[in-house]
Amino acid sequence: MAGVVVVVALAAASLAIGVAETDSFVLLASRVPRTAALVLAGVALAVTGLIMQLLTRNRLVEPSTTGATEAAGLALVAVLVLTPALGLQLMALVATGGALVGVLGFLALVRRLPTRSTVLVPVVGILYSGVIGAVATFVAYRLDLLQQLLSYGVGDFSGILRGRYEVLWLAAAAAVVAWVAADRFTVVGLGEDAARGLGSDTRVTFALGVGIVAVVTGVMTVITGTIPFLGLIAPNVVSRLIGDNMRRAVPLVALLGAALVLLSDVVGRLVRYPFELPISVVMGVLGGVVFLWLLLSTSRSTDAPPTVSRARIRAAERARRASDLDRTPS
């Protein structure tokens, strides 16, 4: 309940902030669509991050660190070269296809790693994203499309108007599908062997999860641009509070994602008022700090020597004494 109140309060603040005088036209044509887009984007991206973490069994991954957004950008460069007059919905479809290829490539790469270290997986994902992003940047530079590519890489809601955000409802619907299939994703998060032992078809669940990630990433890249680290922060915070049960976590992750996006938008619009910072800048600073904290805390917990409980020490001592008595000649 408290989370709903926070989201409503931030949404009201988003509606109230603006340079133009608030009248019915400005409210209905610009501010309401923008606030609705902020909420939908936060919900969809946060839930997508949770799905990605369950599929990879790693808390340090999200679409922006798995090559999905960069692959979507590369697909959009191809669209700008071949059919620049393509409609918004078809561009979102092409970007979804690119994100799908990017996610599948990342999952195939992770499976080939010699070790599934908690820290190694996101590092490999960042390198993989960097390679795809470099290819997209090179192609865009050579074809004089760099400005268009950069616009897709920066999350910005200043251009959201009525008639240009409605595709985001598709991303929100994908998040609802994730909540319906939450139990399947929770089982897959236990590992493939455990999931098969519980009678779950891991291939179907993986396909559903990858499809949701691709749809949300593709739609968001076209409509709002990239919002980094959102899918990393919200699931990790909720996981530390209530654990890994996805059915319980999805509503809280969605609320936290919406609240973070609304808060970042309000901060970006007030820091240099009447100008505004892109939301990706604010979220990038916040998310980068949280990502480094998670990375370092995970590394310390991995490198720390294992602790042994007193009960285990006493049991080992009893076993050793019993063994000494057995070896004592009668």
Side-chain angles (χ1 to χ4, degrees), residues 274-295:
F275 306 101
E276 66 176 87
L277 295 175
I279 189 173
S280 61
V281 174
V282 181
M283 185 61 68
V285 173
L286 175 63
V289 173
V290 175
F291 179 74
L292 288 175
W293 173 67
L294 291 172
L295 198 65

Side-chain angles (χ1 to χ4, degrees), residues 76-137:
L76 290 173
V77 170
V79 169
L80 293 174
V81 173
L82 300 175
T83 55
L86 201 64
L88 199 64
Q89 291 80 4
L90 292 178
M91 289 185 70
L93 181 61
V94 173
T96 297
L100 178 62
V101 174
V103 173
L104 291 176
F106 171 75
L107 292 176
L109 186 62
V110 167
R111 288 177 179 272
R112 296 180 65 88
L113 291 178
T115 176
R116 298 290 293 275
S117 168
T118 303
V119 177
L120 180 62
V121 171
V123 171
V124 170
I126 292 173
L127 294 175
Y128 173 70
S129 303
V131 171
I132 299 176
V135 172
T137 302

Side-chain angles (χ1 to χ4, degrees), residues 77-304:
V77 170
V79 169
L80 293 174
V81 173
L82 300 175
T83 55
L86 201 64
L88 199 64
Q89 291 80 4
L90 292 178
M91 289 185 70
L93 181 61
V94 173
T96 297
L100 178 62
V101 174
V103 173
L104 291 176
F106 171 75
L107 292 176
L109 186 62
V110 167
R111 288 177 179 272
R112 296 180 65 88
L113 291 178
T115 176
R116 298 290 293 275
S117 168
T118 303
V119 177
L120 180 62
V121 171
V123 171
V124 170
I126 292 173
L127 294 175
Y128 173 70
S129 303
V131 171
I132 299 176
V135 172
T137 302
F138 175 77
V139 174
Y141 174 76
R142 295 289 295 179
L143 299 176
D144 198 22
L145 297 172
L146 193 57
Q147 185 174 358
Q148 290 91 324
L149 177 63
L150 292 177
S151 67
Y152 292 124
V154 177
D156 185 17
F157 288 76
S158 60
I160 296 294
L161 298 171
R162 184 174 54 196
R164 285 190 53 85
Y165 83 99
E166 286 79 3
V167 184
L168 288 175
W169 285 103
L170 180 61
V176 174
V177 172
W179 181 74
V180 173
D183 294 335
R184 291 179 176 270
F185 290 116
T186 301
V187 172
V188 168
L190 299 175
E192 291 190 22
D193 294 336
R196 290 195 187 99
L198 293 171
S200 175
D201 191 342
T202 57
R203 291 175 298 180
V204 174
T205 306
F206 263 89
L208 178 62
V210 170
I212 292 173
V213 172
V215 169
V216 173
T217 303
V219 170
M220 293 297 304
T221 302
V222 172
I223 303 300
T224 66
T226 303
I227 304 177
F229 298 117
L230 177 62
L232 178 74
I233 298 175
N236 274 282
V237 171
V238 173
S239 175
R240 290 172 182 258
L241 294 176
I242 67 170
D244 295 330
N245 188 319
M246 185 171 172
R247 185 164 295 281
R248 293 178 56 204
V250 166
L252 296 178
V253 169
L255 286 173
L256 182 57
L260 287 173
V261 172
L262 288 167
L263 178 62
S264 298
D265 178 69
V266 170
V267 171
R269 294 161 77 177
L270 291 178
V271 167
R272 298 188 62 213
Y273 187 86
F275 306 101
E276 66 176 87
L277 295 175
I279 189 173
S280 61
V281 174
V282 181
M283 185 61 68
V285 173
L286 175 63
V289 173
V290 175
F291 179 74
L292 288 175
W293 173 67
L294 291 172
L295 198 65
L296 294 175
S297 63
T298 303
S299 178
R300 284 196 299 268
S301 64
T302 303
D303 296 336

